[in-house]
Amino acid sequence: MKNFKIGDKITRVPLIQGGMGVGISLGRLAGSVAKAGGVGIISTAQIGYREEDFDRNPAAANERAIAGEMKKAREISGDGIIGYNIMVALKEYASHVKAAVKAGADIIISGAGLPTELPELVKGSLTKIAPIVSTDKSAKVILKYWDRKYKRTADLVVIEGPQAGGHLGFHKEELEKYTEESYSEEIKKIITTVKSYAEKYETEIPVIVAGGIYNREDVQKVDNLGADGIQVATRFITTEECDADIHYKEAHLKAKESDIAIVKSPVGMPGRAIMNKFMTRVMNGEQIPHSPCHGCLVKCSPKEIPYCITDGLINAVKGNVDEGLLFCKIVHQLIYDRGNCYDLFLGNTWKIIIKCTSVYNICGCFADISGFINQCRRISGACSDTTFTGRKNCSYNSRSPGCCNKRDVFMFHHHIACLKCRFLYSNCNVVRTTAL
């Protein structure tokens, strides 16, 4: 995959960090991703939950936090690419968009409904806009609407597939219908539709695929389908830079594929989340008592909802994971434990190895393997072991002489990460990383 442009800026890594609310992807995470070369995305969903007046005046608290989190992100990333994810389903959608534009958003990504009015809300600004679509039908509807009403098109399109975490743009029956093969065909159709509008407006519209991006094979698959980049969200949850409480991160570290289920959401859409005590009560039909309404969703009747999504998400991000809603993608043994490393993807001749406690290692370690082996040797420092013997190195006892103890080396499959010498063995190849 090649890097793509958002306005006058170009990524160094063709990756968008997906927006996660409430409070999972705020200024620290988005800024760190942008600094590493990807696109950092702040979620505006109840973004002001930590503000002192949130319970009394959530609308004002959220608008203030939209500006505050961008300021934090800019302090980290400098001139990196930072935007917002703003759900159409939000009651204060228009004010969130305007606040994001005022804060200097490079891009606004909008889903949980079709963002029909988004072009008008950003008119006259430099902020770029991207709808989230899940089917070719929805892509045709929104692009045709923008074309006819505003005489413009999208600056980027995100395709969110049925394996994504959080709210899903499908009915439950559709989730059961789609196979990997059939959805691959849907992605091709969407890309064709987007290209037709790109040709009409004589521009480029990057198409980003999201949902179930687990490893390098997944990235290769969407690359082969014609995607210009990927969006990854859940994998960033366990990074040090993620804005959530440590107990929230640990819940994802412990989660197995069998713990993930399609759940009910007051948004009116199905969602994918980790089953816990709270969600078990919901799925059993219990109506969970909730706090006074914070006015988050357009379509919400506090007297009728099975639970308050604001309460559930805030409980989760604060670390009360038994009584919270923990959105999550399909795990596929995603994370092994807090210290372990794992492969993310391989694209063309580029390889990335990531450590689950560093954003940089998720999106910033694209390295031409052949070009960096000697440089890795030069920066090895305390470590004298610069031979690459592949699988023979795959044990804690084979750690390099400069390492202090077993905690300095983490084993995963046939890879070792040495924290002292700051490089990764990957069979017989070495990939440079400076964020360990």
Side-chain angles (χ1 to χ4, degrees):
M1 288 179 177
K2 297 180 180 179
N3 289 307
F4 55 85
K5 290 186 70 176
I6 294 179
D8 294 330
K9 298 180 180 180
I10 186 166
T11 62
R12 299 197 308 277
V13 181
L15 178 149
I16 295 175
Q17 160 253 310
M20 295 172 282
V22 170
I24 310 303
S25 61
L26 297 178
R28 186 184 182 200
L29 178 58
S32 299
V33 170
K35 182 180 180 180
V39 180
I41 298 295
I42 299 167
S43 169
T44 71
Q46 301 296 51
I47 189 173
Y49 79 97
R50 294 181 295 191
E51 297 289 313
E52 184 271 334
D53 61 342
F54 176 69
D55 289 332
R56 300 191 309 274
N57 192 349
N62 286 331
E63 285 192 39
R64 191 164 58 251
I66 287 171
E69 294 301 329
M70 175 60 81
K71 183 179 178 182
K72 290 179 189 176
R74 290 291 182 208
E75 289 172 352
I76 294 169
S77 72
D79 199 35
I81 306 173
I82 301 171
Y84 292 89
N85 179 289
I86 307 179
M87 295 196 302
V88 177
L90 295 178
K91 187 173 289 186
E92 300 293 334
Y93 176 74
S95 64
H96 281 211
V97 171
K98 292 175 183 178
V101 170
K102 185 177 179 180
D106 292 309
I107 188 168
I108 291 173
I109 298 174
S110 203
L114 290 177
T116 53
E117 308 308 312
L118 186 55
E120 181 65 28
L121 294 170
V122 303
K123 189 176 180 179
S125 75
L126 297 176
T127 300
K128 305 306 176 185
I129 55 175
I132 298 175
V133 300
S134 295
T135 63
D136 186 42
K137 179 180 178 180
S138 61
K140 286 177 176 175
V141 167
I142 191 61
L143 295 177
K144 183 177 181 179
Y145 187 88
W146 286 2
D147 176 40
R148 288 188 171 183
K149 184 171 183 178
Y150 303 109
K151 309 302 180 188
R152 68 157 297 171
T153 192
D155 298 298
L156 179 145
V157 172
V158 176
I159 303 174
E160 197 167 272
Q163 290 190 324
H167 290 115
L168 304 168
F170 302 90
H171 297 296
K172 192 170 183 181
E173 316 80 71
E174 292 176 309
L175 292 173
E176 296 168 352
K177 176 188 76 173
Y178 279 116
T179 63
E180 181 179 328
E181 292 73 23
S182 64
Y183 198 72
S184 292
E185 291 305 311
E186 193 72 20
I187 290 173
K188 290 180 183 178
K189 291 178 183 178
I190 297 171
I191 291 173
T192 299
T193 295
V194 174
K195 282 184 176 179
S196 70
Y197 283 91
E199 290 171 2
K200 178 174 181 177
Y201 283 88
E202 298 181 342
T203 187
E204 293 183 4
I205 307 176
V207 178
I208 310 302
V209 174
I213 304 296
Y214 164 64
N215 56 26
R216 58 193 183 189
E217 286 77 19
D218 295 328
V219 179
Q220 285 178 313
K221 287 176 185 175
V222 297
D223 188 17
N224 292 338
L225 294 175
D228 299 296
I230 60 169
Q231 179 175 287
V232 178
T234 300
R235 303 208 86 168
F236 285 101
I237 288 173
T238 57
T239 61
E240 179 182 346
E241 295 88 344
C242 176
D243 296 275
D245 182 88
I246 185 63
H247 294 99
Y248 185 93
K249 300 176 185 183
E250 287 175 344
H252 285 77
L253 292 172
K254 295 173 183 176
K256 303 183 295 293
E257 187 171 357
S258 58
D259 297 326
I260 312 303
I262 301 298
V263 302
K264 302 173 183 177
S265 169
V267 172
M269 306 168 73
R272 181 171 281 111
I274 297 174
M275 288 298 296
N276 56 5
K277 293 178 181 178
F278 171 78
M279 194 46 62
T280 298
R281 291 169 63 193
V282 172
M283 299 295 275
N284 287 337
E286 186 176 341
Q287 192 165 18
I288 312 297
H290 55 77
S291 65
C293 182
H294 288 81
C296 58
L297 302 175
V298 174
K299 296 180 179 179
C300 179
S301 175
K303 293 181 180 179
E304 299 174 3
I305 55 173
Y307 65 95
C308 173
I309 193 167
T310 287
D311 287 352
L313 292 172
I314 289 178
N315 279 339
V317 73
K318 287 183 174 180
N320 184 7
V321 294
D322 286 335
E323 300 302 325
L325 172 57
L326 290 82
F327 280 136
C328 183
K329 62 162 265 185
I330 293 177
V331 177
H332 293 310
Q333 294 184 332
L334 173 63
I335 305 159
Y336 300 95
D337 72 43
R338 192 182 306 157
N340 281 356
C341 302
Y342 46 91
D343 284 343
L344 181 57
F345 57 84
L346 174 67
N348 299 324
T349 60
W350 302 92
K351 185 169 185 177
I352 180 170
I353 306 293
I354 69 176
K355 180 175 181 290
C356 66
T357 51
S358 174
V359 158
Y360 184 88
N361 288 320
I362 294 180
C363 65
C365 294
F366 273 104
D368 183 333
I369 293 172
S370 62
F372 272 112
I373 289 180
N374 290 332
Q375 186 169 357
C376 290
R377 286 172 171 161
R378 288 197 300 273
I379 66 170
S380 62
C383 183
S384 61
D385 183 1
T386 55
T387 60
F388 315 116
T389 55
R391 298 186 181 189
K392 292 180 182 178
N393 277 342
C394 289
S395 72
Y396 284 104
N397 294 327
S398 69
R399 63 187 183 277
S400 303
C403 296
C404 300
N405 53 49
K406 292 184 179 181
R407 290 188 178 182
D408 286 333
V409 177
F410 300 109
M411 177 180 69
F412 64 108
H413 299 307
H414 301 301
H415 304 82
I416 293 180
C418 175
L419 301 191
K420 276 289 182 181
C421 60
R422 299 192 174 204
F423 62 47
L424 301 179
Y425 293 90
S426 174
N427 289 336
C428 294
N429 295 319
V430 175
V431 181
R432 178 172 179 259
T433 175
T434 59
L436 294 173

